[in-house]
Every structure is written in C-alpha cells, then in structure tokens.
Amino acid sequence: MTEVAETKQERIARRQVDKFETRRRELAVATLQTLADLGYARTSLREIAQNSEFSHGVLHYYFADKRDLITQAVRQYEEVCVTRYDDVVANAGTAEELRNGFVDMFFGTLKADAHLHRLWYDLRNQSLFDESFRNDVLDIDGRRQEMIWRVLSRYAELSGTEPATSQATAYATLDGVFQLALLHQLSEMDDQVAGLAQELTRLLDLLVAK
C-alpha cells in the first residue's frame, strides 16, 4: 500500500510540475509581443503586466524576474525559428531553387517578425553584460548556427561543391547580414534592404568552394 501511495503521490507531483511548465509556456507566448515592443531595458514584470491581460502577481508567481520570462519567451520563439528553412532545404531540387527559397524566406521573416528578431538581438547583447542567461543565449545561438549550416551544406551539395568556410564563420557572416538588414528594416530603409537581398544571393556562392 505504501508503494502504491508513493506512486500516486509521484504522479500527482509530476502533473503539478507539468501544469506549472505548461502555464509558463502559455504566459511566455502571450507576453512575447509586449516583450518585443518594450525591449529588455524598458521591461519589468510590472510593465509587462500593465501591457497585457495578466496581473503582476500571476507573472511573478510563474517567473522569478524579467530575465526568466524573456529567456523563456525567446527560447520558445527560437524553437520554431531554428527549423524555419528545413522545408526549403528538403524541397529544393536544384541549387538555384534552394538559393531563391532561402533568400525569400530570409527577408520574409525579417519583415514579418522584425520586432521579435529585435528582441533576440537585444537579449544576446545583454548577455555580454549579464552572465545569468549567457548559457541560454549560447545554446540558442548554437541551434541557429546549425540551422544555417544545414542550408549551406545542402546548397554546396546541390552545387557540386563544398562549403568554403567553417560552420561558425558561415553563421557569423549570414547573421551579420541579417542584423544589418533588420536595422534597415526597422528604419524603413527599403532600398538598403533590397540591396542586401541581392548581396545575399551572391554571398551564398562565396561561401561554397568553386
């Protein structure tokens, strides 16, 4: 009987943990747009509560502080982002198809989710000063790097070549283009964004060996 009771208690405890984590995920998703609009420096749990349907008490119950909430929100967003190009990679039959599909999606998400991408770069910059979520940022960055490498590796394969650089350098190069394009997008500098789109097409060829 004691073993059965302990098993039931374990199941109850596990369900409670699962419900707690589920609620954290729900709250993180629901407040993501507010976080993206306010940014790290202007965000507090109280400020988020004032700009959402949730009370400060509810947010404080599920999250220790704003770092906890922002990290959770960005992590969940990135879970979707890091598979963004997988369909393009899987469905492209030629190097040209892959290149065009990648460039279209690269700049499509830049325009559609500019404020959310801004939140990611904000968090990454803050991790240079605050090491409390640096490991989370490094983990997310690592997954983004792998995402880009899947694209470049397949592009090289379809081109009958090999990547001309390391995984880290390829990611740093394309991420730099994305961050600059994001700044131009937020500044409504459409001509500069269009110019970078053309540059990206040529840049992919530079990242694979001839």
Side-chain angles (χ1 to χ4, degrees):
M1 288 295 292
T2 301
E3 292 181 359
V4 172
E6 289 178 351
T7 301
K8 288 182 177 179
Q9 289 175 350
E10 290 174 356
R11 285 201 298 267
I12 292 172
R14 192 159 50 247
R15 282 199 298 270
Q16 290 174 336
V17 170
D18 290 344
K19 287 181 179 178
F20 185 84
E21 288 302 317
T22 298
R23 186 56 173 157
R24 274 173 56 91
R25 293 180 67 86
E26 291 173 349
L27 289 169
V29 169
T31 58
L32 185 56
Q33 190 59 55
T34 298
L35 292 169
D37 290 340
L38 295 176
Y40 183 87
R42 293 190 297 158
T43 299
S44 67
L45 291 184
R46 191 173 301 280
E47 189 72 26
I48 295 168
Q50 291 175 353
N51 287 273
S52 70
E53 60 184 294
F54 308 106
S55 70
H56 176 255
V58 168
L59 293 178
H60 190 67
Y61 176 77
Y62 286 97
F63 300 97
D65 50 32
K66 73 174 183 179
R67 288 192 297 261
D68 189 18
L69 174 54
I70 290 175
T71 303
Q72 178 74 23
V74 171
R75 267 193 168 279
Q76 289 176 209
Y77 176 66
E78 287 298 320
E79 284 176 6
V80 178
C81 287
V82 294
T83 61
R84 178 185 296 123
Y85 303 112
D86 287 0
D87 286 343
V88 173
V89 171
N91 296 328
T94 66
E96 183 179 6
E97 287 180 0
L98 177 52
R99 183 185 62 217
N100 293 340
F102 173 68
V103 172
D104 287 346
M105 187 163 288
F106 189 96
F107 284 91
T109 186
L110 178 80
K111 296 177 181 179
D113 298 322
H115 286 193
L116 297 175
H117 292 303
R118 179 177 67 178
L119 178 62
W120 156 245
Y121 285 113
D122 191 9
L123 181 64
R124 190 168 74 176
N125 288 338
Q126 290 298 327
S127 73
L128 297 175
F129 301 94
D130 187 343
E131 64 181 24
S132 64
F133 47 70
R134 191 171 296 163
N135 287 337
D136 290 300
V137 167
L138 288 171
D139 180 61
I140 293 171
D141 232 8
R143 295 174 66 186
R144 290 166 64 94
Q145 180 173 300
E146 291 169 357
M147 170 187 70
I148 292 299
W149 191 246
R150 289 195 295 272
V151 174
L152 189 62
S153 297
R154 180 57 176 161
Y155 183 66
E157 181 182 355
L158 290 172
S159 302
T161 62
E162 297 288 338
T165 185
S166 68
Q167 180 172 320
T169 300
Y171 171 62
T173 301
L174 293 178
D175 184 66
V177 173
F178 192 89
Q179 188 170 8
L180 180 58
L182 177 61
L183 176 60
H184 289 165
Q185 176 67 32
L186 292 169
S187 304
E188 299 182 353
M189 300 168 67
D190 296 339
D191 290 344
Q192 285 81 353
V193 174
L196 286 171
Q198 295 178 352
E199 289 291 334
L200 180 59
T201 299
R202 293 190 287 270
L203 180 58
L204 285 175
D205 286 329
L206 296 176
L207 293 175
V208 296
K210 297 296 184 182

